[in-house]
Amino acid sequence: MIAIESLTKRYPRVTALDRLTVGITPGVTGLVGANGAGKSTLIKILLGLSPATEGGATVLGLDVAREGSAIRERVGYMPEHDCLPPDVSATEFVVHMARMSGLPFTAARERTADTLRHVGLYEERYRPMGGYSTGMKQRVKLAQALVHDPKLVLLDEPTNGLDPVGRDEMLALIRRVHTDFGISVLVTSHLLGELERTCDHVVVIDGGRLLRASSTADFTKSTPSLAVEVTDTDAHPDGTEALRAALVAAGLSAQAPGAAGAPGAGHLLMVDATDESAYDTVRDTVIELGLGLVRMEQRRHHIAEVFHTDSGAGASDAGDGAAAAAPAGVPAAHDRELQPQKGGSGDAV
Amino acid sequence: MPSEPHAGTPVATAGKPPGQRGEDVIHNIGYRNYEGARLGRRYARTSLFQQSLRGAYGLGRSAKSKVLPMILFAVMCVPAAIVVAVTVFTKAKEMPVGYNEYVIIMQPVIGVFIAAMAPQAVSLDLRFRVVPLYFSRPIERSDYVGAKYAALAAAIFVFTATSALILYVGALLAKLDFGDETKGFALGLVCCLVFSVLHAGIALAVAAATPRRGFGVAAIIAVLTIPYMLVNALQAIVASQDNDPAVGWLGLASPGSLVDGLQSKFLDGKHSFPGGPPDLTGAQASAYALLTVLLIAGTYALLLRRYRKAGL
Ligand SMILES: Nc1ncnc2c1ncn2[C@@H]1O[C@H](COP(=O)(O)OP(=O)(O)OP(=O)(O)O)[C@@H](O)[C@H]1O
Ligand SMILES: [Mg+2]
């Protein structure tokens, strides 16, 4: 789908991309990096809008330096910034953009109606876009990238500015762009955690260099763990600790991450579920101790954890950009922990 | 508007992950691939030209945006209609104003139209950062700039040529000489064309320099009127001292007097420079023609340069 070969982009004062070599296969690929890592720069080069300083790349087999126009006919692009004029309606705007992609007028109108419906914009599409919420604007931006039925879309931070619910909806929509529409996706984010459910593959760049590229499944460790939360009783004023001791005695590995001081995780116990019997052991132990079981759920390790250890090495050019990314990553991984998780949601499709 | 759900064959509905939210029921209507024509760059450029030309007159935009262009259009045409009425009723042997002259006289009105329309053609795209979306499509920088330039020039041409047409129809109604009037009208159209192309370039180059529409409007009015008034004043001073060649040279210094001089020399008109008739000398005429060509090419090149960065 995309082949990038020792791609370098130097601006007068920074090296945005540094000998980046990576291949991107069909499916949904996440491009992750801190602010200033070079994600947007890479997308502009892939669209043939900005010449590489050294090296090169092909998109859909077309050379970015020579065949930019042909690439842009088959590829859709959603920029990270606002790009919607406030005084026109979503329908007019997307029709116009469809024509700019070469669709005849009638086809442009039909595809606009279809695409806006697919991204979840209904009656409001006839209203001027100045009055739209951020979520609606992001949907229109996505629609204009899809309206000409591209083979591949490049989405630059589509979850930017969205609240947690809006973010989940956008991520689900992106997943559908591939599964239902058959369009491959390259999506950037500075939150590794939010891409694990959406992406088949993840490419992590930092300071313009490749940090890691692998399938999402490889990022998540294979041993599932059980998150258990129990109540305290008079007999056991610290129910979590009592359960931990009992489980360790029963031969299971159990830690209370809350002990490390992560807020909100105070009553959580993580138990390695090596096989099915671990569930029974936990259940029986809780009953024996007379504790109330608040919840017990299976979860996988988050790729965010991988990212944190990897990026600890620090970025060279990105400077404070890299520092800013770490705190941004923590709340993301954290609010995920507070949500009940469906079994196996970390699996790559 | 084909807004109803299509009953067309769903291409791919299988493989959908279990529904996340209620609205998935509606999302379920299958995605259809587009197998139809993709008309490419030329078509996109033409579409952009049409959209921008219509936009200049507020067509396809809010009712509010139609008000100013329509009022100005009326202001531009009414005097021509009055000229016609006077000519017909007084059975005059000749129109009180020539076709070219009318354009020069009406410059303030045309200037306001240009000042209002040029920023609307380019500033909004810059301000709301729509430009990168254009360049993420097959069209190139030159297509965008060319389409915008042509659209504004066409808008100004329609604006000026309509009143020339009114004058021409009036001249025929007044039974003036058909041959003379047709020739005058044809040359008048050429004058409108030169005026339009030159002014579109200057106005767009100024407008594209700022994403702020208000600044753009003010800057264009300034660029079109201040040099023109200065030139007029200086010409008047020089003319009063019998320094004829200087009057001609001074006319180079503003877009309005430039077109005025050109039409007097090449399009069979009379210039309105103070101090009256002496025509431009041969050297002056070449300078006028050369400067016009340079300005048109220069503003186009400037626009191309302006958008080299804007795509990123
Ligand atoms: N036009 C430009 N001129 C000079 N430097 C630039 C330009 N565009 C980007 N840069 C620099 O290149 C580096 C990479 O920028 P880029 O926008 O690609 O990062 P990013 O990964 O998209 O970051 P973000 O998450 O903030 O969007 C940054 O240090 C940036 O300052
Ligand atoms: Mg970016």
Side-chain angles (χ1 to χ4, degrees), chain A residues 49 69 72 83 86 92 96-97 99-105 111 113-114 118 125-126 144 148-149 169 180-181, chain B residues 2-3 6 12 16 21 27 29 31-34 38-39 43-44 51 60 128-129 133-138 140:
Chain A
L49 295 178
S69 188
R72 295 194 295 274
C83 57
E92 291 169 76
H96 180 57
M97 283 301 149
R99 298 182 78 196
M100 291 302 106
S101 287
L103 266 59
F105 188 59
R111 292 246 359 138
D114 276 9
H118 281 301
R125 65 177 187 266
Y126 302 114
Q144 66 78 31
H148 56 298
D149 190 26
E169 286 176 356
D180 294 11
F181 307 176
Chain B
S3 60
H6 288 276
K16 225 183 94 36
R21 305 183 76 81
H27 280 162
I29 301 159
Y31 182 83
R32 297 184 304 167
N33 286 104
Y34 178 70
R38 292 178 194 263
L39 304 175
Y43 165 81
Q51 193 243 15
F128 298 109
R129 307 181 73 182
L133 286 191
Y134 284 105
F135 295 150
S136 77
R137 298 184 142 72
E140 306 277 347

Short mmCIF file of all heavy atoms in Angstrom, two decimals, chain A residues 49 69 72 83 86 92 96-97 99-105 111 113-114 118 125-126 144 148-149 169 180-181, chain B residues 2-3 6 12 16 21 27 29 31-34 38-39 43-44 51 60 128-129 133-138 140:
data_model
loop_
_atom_site.label_atom_id
_atom_site.label_comp_id
_atom_site.label_asym_id
_atom_site.label_seq_id
_atom_site.Cartn_x
_atom_site.Cartn_y
_atom_site.Cartn_z
N LEU A 49 2.75 16.59 -1.81
CA LEU A 49 2.62 18.04 -1.66
C LEU A 49 3.91 18.69 -1.21
O LEU A 49 4.07 19.90 -1.30
CB LEU A 49 1.52 18.37 -0.64
CG LEU A 49 0.12 17.95 -1.03
CD1 LEU A 49 -0.86 18.28 0.08
CD2 LEU A 49 -0.30 18.66 -2.31
N SER A 69 -0.25 13.86 -8.50
CA SER A 69 -1.61 14.10 -8.95
C SER A 69 -2.40 12.79 -9.03
O SER A 69 -3.56 12.72 -8.60
CB SER A 69 -1.57 14.81 -10.29
OG SER A 69 -2.84 15.22 -10.66
N ARG A 72 -3.21 11.59 -5.54
CA ARG A 72 -4.28 12.34 -4.88
C ARG A 72 -5.65 12.03 -5.46
O ARG A 72 -6.67 12.28 -4.82
CB ARG A 72 -3.98 13.84 -4.95
CG ARG A 72 -2.73 14.22 -4.17
CD ARG A 72 -2.63 15.72 -3.97
NE ARG A 72 -2.45 16.43 -5.23
CZ ARG A 72 -1.27 16.65 -5.81
NH1 ARG A 72 -0.18 16.24 -5.21
NH2 ARG A 72 -1.19 17.30 -6.93
N CYS A 83 -10.86 23.05 8.60
CA CYS A 83 -10.74 23.39 7.19
C CYS A 83 -12.12 23.64 6.59
O CYS A 83 -12.32 23.47 5.40
CB CYS A 83 -10.03 22.27 6.44
SG CYS A 83 -10.84 20.68 6.63
N PRO A 86 -17.38 28.50 7.37
CA PRO A 86 -18.56 28.46 8.22
C PRO A 86 -19.87 28.81 7.52
O PRO A 86 -20.94 28.46 8.01
CB PRO A 86 -18.26 29.51 9.30
CG PRO A 86 -17.26 30.41 8.69
CD PRO A 86 -16.48 29.61 7.70
N GLU A 92 -23.27 21.31 0.53
CA GLU A 92 -22.65 22.10 -0.54
C GLU A 92 -21.14 21.91 -0.55
O GLU A 92 -20.52 21.77 -1.61
CB GLU A 92 -22.92 23.60 -0.32
CG GLU A 92 -24.33 24.03 -0.52
CD GLU A 92 -24.50 25.47 -0.01
OE1 GLU A 92 -24.06 26.38 -0.73
OE2 GLU A 92 -25.02 25.67 1.10
N HIS A 96 -18.91 20.15 -3.50
CA HIS A 96 -17.84 20.90 -4.17
C HIS A 96 -16.53 20.12 -4.13
O HIS A 96 -15.82 20.02 -5.14
CB HIS A 96 -17.70 22.27 -3.51
CG HIS A 96 -16.64 23.14 -4.12
ND1 HIS A 96 -16.65 23.49 -5.45
CD2 HIS A 96 -15.54 23.71 -3.59
CE1 HIS A 96 -15.59 24.25 -5.70
NE2 HIS A 96 -14.90 24.40 -4.59
N MET A 97 -16.21 19.58 -2.95
CA MET A 97 -14.96 18.84 -2.82
C MET A 97 -14.96 17.56 -3.68
O MET A 97 -13.94 17.16 -4.21
CB MET A 97 -14.70 18.49 -1.35
CG MET A 97 -14.21 19.67 -0.56
SD MET A 97 -12.67 20.30 -1.29
CE MET A 97 -12.77 22.03 -0.91
N ARG A 99 -16.44 17.32 -6.55
CA ARG A 99 -16.17 17.76 -7.92
C ARG A 99 -14.69 18.08 -8.09
O ARG A 99 -14.12 17.83 -9.15
CB ARG A 99 -17.02 18.99 -8.25
CG ARG A 99 -18.51 18.71 -8.19
CD ARG A 99 -19.30 19.93 -8.56
NE ARG A 99 -19.32 20.13 -10.00
CZ ARG A 99 -19.68 21.28 -10.57
NH1 ARG A 99 -20.03 22.31 -9.83
NH2 ARG A 99 -19.69 21.39 -11.88
N MET A 100 -14.09 18.62 -7.05
CA MET A 100 -12.65 18.89 -7.12
C MET A 100 -11.86 17.59 -7.30
O MET A 100 -10.73 17.59 -7.78
CB MET A 100 -12.17 19.62 -5.87
CG MET A 100 -12.67 21.04 -5.72
SD MET A 100 -12.20 22.07 -7.12
CE MET A 100 -13.76 22.24 -7.95
N SER A 101 -12.47 16.48 -6.86
CA SER A 101 -11.81 15.19 -7.06
C SER A 101 -12.16 14.58 -8.41
O SER A 101 -11.78 13.46 -8.71
CB SER A 101 -12.21 14.21 -5.94
OG SER A 101 -11.57 14.58 -4.75
N GLY A 102 -12.95 15.29 -9.19
CA GLY A 102 -13.24 14.84 -10.54
C GLY A 102 -14.57 14.15 -10.72
O GLY A 102 -14.85 13.61 -11.79
N LEU A 103 -15.43 14.13 -9.70
CA LEU A 103 -16.72 13.47 -9.85
C LEU A 103 -17.71 14.38 -10.58
O LEU A 103 -17.83 15.56 -10.24
CB LEU A 103 -17.31 13.10 -8.47
CG LEU A 103 -17.01 11.70 -7.96
CD1 LEU A 103 -15.52 11.47 -7.86
CD2 LEU A 103 -17.68 11.47 -6.61
N PRO A 104 -18.42 13.86 -11.59
CA PRO A 104 -19.44 14.65 -12.27
C PRO A 104 -20.50 15.11 -11.26
O PRO A 104 -20.68 14.48 -10.22
CB PRO A 104 -20.05 13.68 -13.28
CG PRO A 104 -19.09 12.56 -13.39
CD PRO A 104 -18.34 12.50 -12.11
N PHE A 105 -21.20 16.20 -11.62
CA PHE A 105 -22.08 16.84 -10.66
C PHE A 105 -23.09 15.89 -10.02
O PHE A 105 -23.25 15.85 -8.80
CB PHE A 105 -22.79 18.02 -11.33
CG PHE A 105 -23.57 18.86 -10.37
CD1 PHE A 105 -22.93 19.48 -9.29
CD2 PHE A 105 -24.94 19.02 -10.52
CE1 PHE A 105 -23.64 20.25 -8.40
CE2 PHE A 105 -25.66 19.80 -9.62
CZ PHE A 105 -25.01 20.42 -8.57
N ARG A 111 -23.06 10.83 -4.06
CA ARG A 111 -22.04 10.33 -3.15
C ARG A 111 -21.98 11.18 -1.88
O ARG A 111 -21.71 10.67 -0.80
CB ARG A 111 -20.66 10.32 -3.83
CG ARG A 111 -20.57 9.31 -4.93
CD ARG A 111 -19.62 8.16 -4.73
NE ARG A 111 -18.85 8.09 -3.53
CZ ARG A 111 -18.65 6.98 -2.84
NH1 ARG A 111 -19.22 5.85 -3.24
NH2 ARG A 111 -17.91 6.97 -1.78
N ALA A 113 -24.55 12.69 -0.40
CA ALA A 113 -25.65 12.28 0.47
C ALA A 113 -25.32 10.95 1.15
O ALA A 113 -25.50 10.80 2.37
CB ALA A 113 -26.93 12.14 -0.36
N ASP A 114 -24.80 10.01 0.38
CA ASP A 114 -24.41 8.70 0.94
C ASP A 114 -23.36 8.85 2.02
O ASP A 114 -23.49 8.32 3.12
CB ASP A 114 -23.82 7.81 -0.17
CG ASP A 114 -24.90 7.11 -0.95
OD1 ASP A 114 -26.08 7.44 -0.74
OD2 ASP A 114 -24.57 6.23 -1.77
N HIS A 118 -23.25 8.00 5.98
CA HIS A 118 -22.36 6.98 6.55
C HIS A 118 -21.56 7.50 7.73
O HIS A 118 -21.26 6.76 8.66
CB HIS A 118 -21.41 6.44 5.47
CG HIS A 118 -22.05 5.44 4.57
ND1 HIS A 118 -22.59 4.26 5.05
CD2 HIS A 118 -22.24 5.43 3.24
CE1 HIS A 118 -23.09 3.58 4.03
NE2 HIS A 118 -22.90 4.26 2.93
N ARG A 125 -27.02 18.50 7.91
CA ARG A 125 -26.12 18.72 6.79
C ARG A 125 -26.55 19.86 5.87
O ARG A 125 -25.78 20.32 5.05
CB ARG A 125 -25.94 17.44 5.98
CG ARG A 125 -27.17 16.94 5.28
CD ARG A 125 -26.79 15.71 4.47
NE ARG A 125 -27.85 15.23 3.62
CZ ARG A 125 -28.72 14.29 3.98
NH1 ARG A 125 -28.65 13.73 5.16
NH2 ARG A 125 -29.66 13.90 3.15
N TYR A 126 -27.77 20.33 6.03
CA TYR A 126 -28.22 21.46 5.22
C TYR A 126 -27.95 22.80 5.89
O TYR A 126 -28.21 23.85 5.32
CB TYR A 126 -29.72 21.34 4.90
CG TYR A 126 -30.04 20.06 4.18
CD1 TYR A 126 -30.83 19.08 4.77
CD2 TYR A 126 -29.53 19.82 2.91
CE1 TYR A 126 -31.11 17.89 4.12
CE2 TYR A 126 -29.81 18.64 2.24
CZ TYR A 126 -30.59 17.69 2.85
OH TYR A 126 -30.85 16.51 2.20
N GLN A 144 -15.48 14.46 3.51
CA GLN A 144 -14.84 15.02 2.31
C GLN A 144 -13.64 14.18 1.88
O GLN A 144 -13.24 14.21 0.73
CB GLN A 144 -14.52 16.50 2.46
CG GLN A 144 -13.47 16.87 3.50
CD GLN A 144 -12.06 16.61 3.03
OE1 GLN A 144 -11.76 16.71 1.86
NE2 GLN A 144 -11.18 16.26 3.96
N HIS A 148 -14.98 10.63 -2.66
CA HIS A 148 -14.64 10.16 -4.00
C HIS A 148 -14.24 8.69 -3.99
O HIS A 148 -13.64 8.22 -4.96
CB HIS A 148 -13.55 11.04 -4.61
CG HIS A 148 -12.31 11.13 -3.77
ND1 HIS A 148 -12.31 11.68 -2.51
CD2 HIS A 148 -11.04 10.75 -4.00
CE1 HIS A 148 -11.07 11.62 -2.00
NE2 HIS A 148 -10.29 11.05 -2.89
N ASP A 149 -14.58 7.97 -2.92
CA ASP A 149 -14.32 6.54 -2.81
C ASP A 149 -12.86 6.21 -3.10
O ASP A 149 -12.54 5.51 -4.06
CB ASP A 149 -15.23 5.74 -3.76
CG ASP A 149 -15.14 4.23 -3.48
OD1 ASP A 149 -14.81 3.86 -2.34
OD2 ASP A 149 -15.38 3.45 -4.41
N GLU A 169 -16.66 7.05 19.13
CA GLU A 169 -17.49 6.99 17.92
C GLU A 169 -16.63 7.17 16.68
O GLU A 169 -16.79 6.45 15.69
CB GLU A 169 -18.56 8.08 17.96
CG GLU A 169 -19.67 7.77 18.92
CD GLU A 169 -20.68 8.92 19.01
OE1 GLU A 169 -20.44 9.97 18.37
OE2 GLU A 169 -21.68 8.76 19.71
N ASP A 180 -16.19 -2.04 6.44
CA ASP A 180 -17.41 -1.95 5.63
C ASP A 180 -17.17 -1.32 4.27
O ASP A 180 -17.83 -1.66 3.29
CB ASP A 180 -18.47 -1.11 6.35
CG ASP A 180 -18.95 -1.79 7.62
OD1 ASP A 180 -18.31 -2.77 8.03
OD2 ASP A 180 -19.94 -1.33 8.19
N PHE A 181 -16.28 -0.33 4.21
CA PHE A 181 -16.12 0.40 2.95
C PHE A 181 -14.99 -0.19 2.12
O PHE A 181 -14.84 0.14 0.95
CB PHE A 181 -15.84 1.89 3.18
CG PHE A 181 -16.81 2.62 4.08
CD1 PHE A 181 -16.59 3.94 4.41
CD2 PHE A 181 -17.95 2.01 4.59
CE1 PHE A 181 -17.46 4.63 5.23
CE2 PHE A 181 -18.83 2.69 5.41
CZ PHE A 181 -18.58 3.99 5.74
N PRO B 2 -30.86 14.09 -3.75
CA PRO B 2 -31.10 12.67 -3.49
C PRO B 2 -30.72 12.32 -2.06
O PRO B 2 -29.70 11.70 -1.80
CB PRO B 2 -30.19 11.97 -4.50
CG PRO B 2 -29.11 12.97 -4.78
CD PRO B 2 -29.65 14.32 -4.50
N SER B 3 -31.56 12.76 -1.12
CA SER B 3 -31.18 12.58 0.27
C SER B 3 -31.74 11.29 0.86
O SER B 3 -31.35 10.89 1.93
CB SER B 3 -31.68 13.77 1.08
OG SER B 3 -33.08 13.83 0.97
N HIS B 6 -30.57 5.08 -0.25
CA HIS B 6 -30.61 4.37 -1.51
C HIS B 6 -30.90 2.91 -1.30
O HIS B 6 -30.42 2.30 -0.36
CB HIS B 6 -29.28 4.50 -2.24
CG HIS B 6 -29.09 5.87 -2.78
ND1 HIS B 6 -29.59 6.30 -3.95
CD2 HIS B 6 -28.46 6.94 -2.23
CE1 HIS B 6 -29.28 7.57 -4.14
NE2 HIS B 6 -28.59 7.98 -3.10
N ALA B 12 -20.65 -4.04 0.86
CA ALA B 12 -20.08 -4.81 1.95
C ALA B 12 -20.75 -4.44 3.26
O ALA B 12 -20.58 -3.34 3.76
CB ALA B 12 -18.59 -4.54 2.04
N LYS B 16 -19.05 -6.52 9.84
CA LYS B 16 -19.24 -5.37 10.71
C LYS B 16 -19.07 -5.79 12.16
O LYS B 16 -19.62 -6.80 12.57
CB LYS B 16 -20.65 -4.84 10.51
CG LYS B 16 -20.72 -3.34 10.38
CD LYS B 16 -22.15 -2.88 10.25
CE LYS B 16 -22.74 -2.51 11.59
NZ LYS B 16 -21.90 -1.88 12.52
N ARG B 21 -23.35 1.78 19.00
CA ARG B 21 -24.36 2.72 19.48
C ARG B 21 -25.64 2.56 18.67
O ARG B 21 -25.65 1.92 17.64
CB ARG B 21 -23.85 4.15 19.35
CG ARG B 21 -22.52 4.37 20.03
CD ARG B 21 -22.15 5.81 19.92
NE ARG B 21 -22.92 6.62 20.85
CZ ARG B 21 -22.59 6.74 22.12
NH1 ARG B 21 -21.56 6.12 22.60
NH2 ARG B 21 -23.31 7.49 22.92
N HIS B 27 -26.55 3.40 10.13
CA HIS B 27 -25.26 3.16 9.50
C HIS B 27 -25.26 1.90 8.65
O HIS B 27 -24.47 1.78 7.74
CB HIS B 27 -24.16 3.00 10.57
CG HIS B 27 -23.70 4.32 11.08
ND1 HIS B 27 -23.02 4.46 12.26
CD2 HIS B 27 -23.84 5.57 10.59
CE1 HIS B 27 -22.75 5.73 12.46
NE2 HIS B 27 -23.25 6.42 11.47
N ILE B 29 -26.98 0.79 6.35
CA ILE B 29 -27.22 0.85 4.92
C ILE B 29 -25.87 0.77 4.23
O ILE B 29 -24.99 1.57 4.49
CB ILE B 29 -27.92 2.16 4.56
CG1 ILE B 29 -29.24 2.24 5.31
CG2 ILE B 29 -28.15 2.24 3.06
CD1 ILE B 29 -29.77 3.63 5.45
N TYR B 31 -22.35 0.42 2.20
CA TYR B 31 -21.49 1.34 1.46
C TYR B 31 -21.44 0.89 0.01
O TYR B 31 -21.39 -0.30 -0.28
CB TYR B 31 -20.10 1.32 2.08
CG TYR B 31 -19.14 2.28 1.42
CD1 TYR B 31 -19.14 3.62 1.79
CD2 TYR B 31 -18.25 1.85 0.45
CE1 TYR B 31 -18.26 4.51 1.19
CE2 TYR B 31 -17.37 2.74 -0.15
CZ TYR B 31 -17.39 4.07 0.22
OH TYR B 31 -16.52 4.94 -0.37
N ARG B 32 -21.48 1.84 -0.88
CA ARG B 32 -21.39 1.49 -2.30
C ARG B 32 -20.12 2.08 -2.87
O ARG B 32 -19.83 3.25 -2.66
CB ARG B 32 -22.59 2.05 -3.05
CG ARG B 32 -23.90 1.43 -2.59
CD ARG B 32 -25.04 1.92 -3.41
NE ARG B 32 -25.14 3.38 -3.40
CZ ARG B 32 -25.88 4.07 -4.23
NH1 ARG B 32 -26.59 3.46 -5.14
NH2 ARG B 32 -25.93 5.39 -4.15
N ASN B 33 -19.40 1.28 -3.58
CA ASN B 33 -18.20 1.79 -4.23
C ASN B 33 -18.58 2.64 -5.42
O ASN B 33 -19.66 2.48 -6.00
CB ASN B 33 -17.30 0.64 -4.68
CG ASN B 33 -16.61 0.01 -3.49
OD1 ASN B 33 -16.99 -1.06 -3.06
ND2 ASN B 33 -15.63 0.70 -2.94
N TYR B 34 -17.71 3.57 -5.79
CA TYR B 34 -17.96 4.43 -6.94
C TYR B 34 -17.20 3.89 -8.14
O TYR B 34 -15.98 3.80 -8.11
CB TYR B 34 -17.54 5.86 -6.62
CG TYR B 34 -17.72 6.80 -7.78
CD1 TYR B 34 -19.01 7.15 -8.18
CD2 TYR B 34 -16.65 7.32 -8.47
CE1 TYR B 34 -19.21 8.00 -9.25
CE2 TYR B 34 -16.83 8.17 -9.55
CZ TYR B 34 -18.12 8.51 -9.92
OH TYR B 34 -18.31 9.35 -10.98
N ARG B 38 -14.15 9.53 -13.44
CA ARG B 38 -13.36 10.51 -12.70
C ARG B 38 -12.78 11.44 -13.74
O ARG B 38 -11.97 11.04 -14.57
CB ARG B 38 -12.25 9.82 -11.91
CG ARG B 38 -12.80 8.98 -10.77
CD ARG B 38 -11.71 8.25 -10.02
NE ARG B 38 -12.29 7.23 -9.19
CZ ARG B 38 -12.56 7.39 -7.88
NH1 ARG B 38 -12.28 8.52 -7.30
NH2 ARG B 38 -13.10 6.42 -7.19
N LEU B 39 -13.24 12.69 -13.72
CA LEU B 39 -12.98 13.56 -14.85
C LEU B 39 -11.68 14.33 -14.76
O LEU B 39 -11.31 15.05 -15.69
CB LEU B 39 -14.16 14.51 -15.03
CG LEU B 39 -15.50 13.78 -15.21
CD1 LEU B 39 -16.66 14.76 -15.27
CD2 LEU B 39 -15.50 12.90 -16.45
N TYR B 43 -11.51 19.16 -15.51
CA TYR B 43 -12.89 19.28 -15.04
C TYR B 43 -12.93 19.99 -13.68
O TYR B 43 -13.76 20.87 -13.44
CB TYR B 43 -13.52 17.89 -14.94
CG TYR B 43 -14.80 17.85 -14.14
CD1 TYR B 43 -16.01 18.23 -14.69
CD2 TYR B 43 -14.78 17.45 -12.80
CE1 TYR B 43 -17.16 18.20 -13.95
CE2 TYR B 43 -15.93 17.43 -12.06
CZ TYR B 43 -17.12 17.80 -12.63
OH TYR B 43 -18.26 17.78 -11.88
N ALA B 44 -12.01 19.60 -12.79
CA ALA B 44 -11.97 20.21 -11.46
C ALA B 44 -11.70 21.71 -11.57
O ALA B 44 -12.33 22.51 -10.90
CB ALA B 44 -10.90 19.54 -10.60
N GLN B 51 -17.74 27.82 -9.91
CA GLN B 51 -18.16 28.09 -8.54
C GLN B 51 -17.71 29.47 -8.09
O GLN B 51 -18.46 30.19 -7.45
CB GLN B 51 -17.60 26.99 -7.62
CG GLN B 51 -18.21 26.98 -6.25
CD GLN B 51 -17.18 27.27 -5.16
OE1 GLN B 51 -16.09 27.74 -5.44
NE2 GLN B 51 -17.55 26.96 -3.94
N GLY B 60 -25.55 30.77 -5.38
CA GLY B 60 -25.16 29.57 -4.66
C GLY B 60 -24.65 29.89 -3.27
O GLY B 60 -24.09 29.05 -2.60
N PHE B 128 -10.03 30.10 6.41
CA PHE B 128 -10.59 28.87 7.00
C PHE B 128 -9.79 27.64 6.59
O PHE B 128 -10.22 26.51 6.81
CB PHE B 128 -12.07 28.75 6.66
CG PHE B 128 -12.86 29.89 7.21
CD1 PHE B 128 -13.39 30.86 6.39
CD2 PHE B 128 -13.01 30.03 8.58
CE1 PHE B 128 -14.07 31.94 6.90
CE2 PHE B 128 -13.71 31.11 9.11
CZ PHE B 128 -14.24 32.07 8.26
N ARG B 129 -8.67 27.86 5.99
CA ARG B 129 -7.69 26.81 5.67
C ARG B 129 -8.27 25.71 4.80
O ARG B 129 -8.05 24.52 5.03
CB ARG B 129 -7.10 26.25 6.95
CG ARG B 129 -6.55 27.38 7.81
CD ARG B 129 -5.92 26.90 9.08
NE ARG B 129 -4.64 26.26 8.83
CZ ARG B 129 -3.90 25.72 9.78
NH1 ARG B 129 -4.30 25.76 11.02
NH2 ARG B 129 -2.76 25.16 9.52
N LEU B 133 -7.13 21.48 1.38
CA LEU B 133 -8.06 20.46 0.86
C LEU B 133 -8.07 20.44 -0.66
O LEU B 133 -8.19 19.39 -1.28
CB LEU B 133 -9.48 20.73 1.36
CG LEU B 133 -9.78 20.42 2.81
CD1 LEU B 133 -11.28 20.49 3.05
CD2 LEU B 133 -9.27 19.05 3.17
N TYR B 134 -7.96 21.63 -1.26
CA TYR B 134 -7.88 21.68 -2.72
C TYR B 134 -6.63 20.96 -3.19
O TYR B 134 -6.66 20.15 -4.11
CB TYR B 134 -7.84 23.12 -3.21
CG TYR B 134 -9.18 23.81 -3.18
CD1 TYR B 134 -9.48 24.75 -2.21
CD2 TYR B 134 -10.14 23.51 -4.13
CE1 TYR B 134 -10.71 25.40 -2.18
CE2 TYR B 134 -11.37 24.14 -4.13
CZ TYR B 134 -11.65 25.08 -3.14
OH TYR B 134 -12.86 25.70 -3.12
N PHE B 135 -5.52 21.26 -2.51
CA PHE B 135 -4.25 20.70 -2.96
C PHE B 135 -4.09 19.23 -2.58
O PHE B 135 -3.13 18.58 -3.00
CB PHE B 135 -3.09 21.55 -2.45
CG PHE B 135 -3.09 22.94 -3.03
CD1 PHE B 135 -2.59 24.01 -2.33
CD2 PHE B 135 -3.62 23.16 -4.29
CE1 PHE B 135 -2.61 25.29 -2.87
CE2 PHE B 135 -3.65 24.42 -4.84
CZ PHE B 135 -3.14 25.50 -4.13
N SER B 136 -5.00 18.71 -1.77
CA SER B 136 -4.96 17.27 -1.50
C SER B 136 -5.71 16.51 -2.58
O SER B 136 -5.90 15.31 -2.50
CB SER B 136 -5.58 16.97 -0.13
OG SER B 136 -7.00 17.03 -0.20
N ARG B 137 -6.16 17.23 -3.59
CA ARG B 137 -6.87 16.63 -4.73
C ARG B 137 -6.03 16.76 -5.99
O ARG B 137 -4.98 17.40 -5.94
CB ARG B 137 -8.23 17.32 -4.85
CG ARG B 137 -9.05 17.07 -3.60
CD ARG B 137 -10.44 17.63 -3.64
NE ARG B 137 -11.36 16.71 -3.00
CZ ARG B 137 -11.43 16.49 -1.70
NH1 ARG B 137 -10.61 17.11 -0.89
NH2 ARG B 137 -12.29 15.64 -1.19
N PRO B 138 -6.49 16.16 -7.09
CA PRO B 138 -5.59 16.14 -8.25
C PRO B 138 -5.14 17.51 -8.74
O PRO B 138 -4.10 17.62 -9.35
CB PRO B 138 -6.44 15.43 -9.32
CG PRO B 138 -7.38 14.58 -8.55
CD PRO B 138 -7.68 15.33 -7.30
N GLU B 140 -3.51 21.14 -9.25
CA GLU B 140 -2.22 21.69 -8.85
C GLU B 140 -2.42 23.17 -8.51
O GLU B 140 -3.47 23.74 -8.78
CB GLU B 140 -1.22 21.57 -10.00
CG GLU B 140 -1.05 20.17 -10.55
CD GLU B 140 -0.07 19.34 -9.73
OE1 GLU B 140 0.64 19.94 -8.89
OE2 GLU B 140 -0.04 18.12 -9.93
#
